[in-house]
Amino acid sequence: MSSGRDPPDGGAGRRPLTRVAIDVPATAERLQDVHDALARFWAAVAGSLHNAPAGPWRAAFETAVAEVAANIVRHAYPDGAAGAGGTMRFRLDAYPDAIEARFADDGVDFRPSAGDAAGPLRAPPPEPAPPAAAGPVHLGDLDGLDGLDGLDDLLATADLAEGGYGLPLARAALDTLAYSRSAGGENEWWLVKRLPPPPAE
């Protein structure tokens, strides 16, 4: 299920408790594979974490994953860009304090709108690799969302098919959402949601 071209690790020496990784064609028909990988991941997490996340926490994280996956399908390979064989590499890692997801693809670079790039620039944690060819983008608080009170309001008001709220929705569900493009022309997305503290004993 895992390829040799996984996205970079989140820090030297940091080993996940659980990992699930897949490579799938970046098509709408194969987005179900991302959901299936999440289901396998949650089953594995239940046996490795004392503070395994509950339903609402998981739903928020899954929403963010789904939005980034859909963004890759829509924009990384528009009209068959990079040939018909565009691949999306997806990895999920569980750590004692957080759940992380990584996406990587070889499609066209992500060009955010002015609202998408609000806030300071930030890239996923690097691994030893050539320097980035294009500046990383940190997708922070986004314009037009000031009146919304968290993820529930955003879910209630966003028209996800047409309204362009996919990445703001993902950002609202996460602690970190970052994007970068490598010198080799690979798009990398990093999603992090901190786990709730373990129950007191």
Side-chain angles (χ1 to χ4, degrees), residues 45-73:
V45 163
S48 63
L49 280 176
H50 296 295
N51 56 333
W57 190 105
R58 285 171 43 172
F61 184 80
E62 289 177 358
T63 297
V65 165
E67 291 303 332
V68 172
N71 188 70
I72 292 169
V73 168

Side-chain angles (χ1 to χ4, degrees), residues 89-125:
R89 294 170 294 282
F90 175 49
R91 189 177 80 198
L92 288 158
D93 289 321
Y95 296 97
D97 60 343
I99 301 295
E100 298 186 6
R102 299 276 180 146
F103 284 96
D105 66 77
D106 298 317
V108 299
D109 60 327
F110 170 66
R111 297 182 183 269
S113 66
D116 289 335
L121 297 182
R122 182 168 179 173

Side-chain angles (χ1 to χ4, degrees), residues 148 152-166 169:
L148 301 181
D152 290 340
D153 280 358
L154 188 54
L155 279 168
T157 59
D159 178 351
L160 299 180
E162 303 293 337
Y165 281 119
L169 179 59

